[in-house]
Amino acid sequence: DPGFDPEFGSSVALHGTTAMVGAQQATVNGNEAQGAVYVFQQSNDGVWHPTQKIVSNDGQAFDTFGNAVVFEGNTAFIGAYGSMINGNFSQGAVYVFTLTDGTWIQTQKITAADGGMFDNFGYSIGLSGTTAIIGADGATVGNNGAQGTAYVFDGSSGTWTQTQKLLASDGGASDIFGYSIAFDGTQLLIGAYMFNTGQGAVYAFDNSGGTWAQTQKLVAGDAATNTYFGYATALS
């Protein structure tokens, strides 16, 4: 059901023989760009077959549900950075789905406790165990528009709860910190590709005693304007 301009493949996640593919511009029940995520399963003959189409329970036009997808075990996080929350355009939300009897079921909707208009919460997501990191690259910090931030959520109790808000130590306006996230256990990388007129930077955070703290700032040795270092990040 490709519909009109669904942007199938705008995000992709893969674990074993299960894949999730985002289509953030998909029209759902007449709602343009509400977005959807398609689940594929690889059979024994190596062929991938569609098994489910995931949509949010309260989806609206221009939510861009599926712009970011991560899943691990029986838990999936799906971003919808365009979601309107309490009248705030593009404040953003993230939906949690749990695999139950072979079907992914929505179990929670996450928003930032201090979210605001055009924060883009859910633009990027990292998930490892019972910890999730969610980027809000458009967030205003102090008087700095689009400085960006990232939020930490803990799901050890069975319900995902916000526990920390992460900022760059030297963040400035339009850095877009949180545009990309790479997360593995106790190490975290967060991209801010517009730092210093687009030269870009990536901030490293470590978890010690349950608290995330910035430990390093990475920049390219040959950085130049509009090179966008940190536009994408990966960590293993």
Side-chain angles (χ1 to χ4, degrees):
D1 60 345
F4 176 75
D5 190 27
E7 295 188 3
F8 179 84
S10 54
S11 61
V12 181
L14 173 68
H15 281 290
T17 58
T18 302
M20 292 188 178
V21 182
Q24 65 176 4
Q25 293 292 316
T27 297
V28 179
N29 296 326
N31 292 330
E32 182 182 352
Q34 177 177 322
V37 170
Y38 294 81
V39 183
F40 287 79
Q41 197 73 31
Q42 188 181 34
S43 59
N44 291 334
D45 60 4
V47 178
W48 292 89
H49 301 276
T51 57
Q52 189 178 349
K53 178 181 178 179
I54 299 175
V55 296
S56 57
N57 290 347
D58 61 347
Q60 301 293 324
F62 308 112
D63 278 356
T64 60
F65 175 89
N67 67 270
V69 176
V70 295
F71 73 99
E72 184 178 276
N74 295 328
T75 303
F77 275 58
I78 300 176
Y81 77 89
S83 291
M84 179 186 294
I85 307 296
N86 298 324
N88 291 328
F89 291 101
S90 294
Q91 178 175 323
V94 171
Y95 292 82
V96 183
F97 286 78
T98 302
L99 185 63
T100 306
D101 296 327
T103 301
W104 292 94
I105 305 295
Q106 182 180 319
T107 53
Q108 194 175 345
K109 179 181 179 179
I110 294 173
T111 58
D114 61 347
M117 192 173 294
F118 303 122
D119 277 2
N120 295 344
F121 176 87
Y123 194 88
S124 59
I125 310 172
L127 176 65
S128 180
T130 57
T131 302
I133 313 292
I134 300 175
D137 64 358
T140 297
V141 179
N143 294 321
N144 294 331
Q147 177 175 323
T149 185
Y151 295 84
V152 182
F153 283 80
D154 177 75
S156 58
S157 67
T159 299
W160 293 89
T161 305
Q162 182 179 319
T163 57
Q164 197 174 347
K165 180 178 179 178
L166 307 180
L167 299 168
S169 58
D170 60 348
S174 301
D175 281 356
I176 315 185
F177 173 88
Y179 185 87
S180 64
I181 288 176
F183 174 35
D184 188 359
T186 59
Q187 292 185 307
L188 169 67
L189 299 176
I190 301 178
Y193 79 89
M194 281 302 296
F195 173 82
N196 194 18
T197 63
Q199 289 189 23
V202 172
Y203 295 81
F205 290 78
D206 285 351
N207 188 305
S208 178
T211 300
W212 291 93
Q214 182 182 320
T215 55
Q216 195 174 349
K217 177 182 176 181
L218 312 180
V219 296
D222 57 352
T225 299
N226 295 331
T227 51
Y228 300 157
F229 180 86
Y231 191 88
T233 52
L235 174 67
S236 178

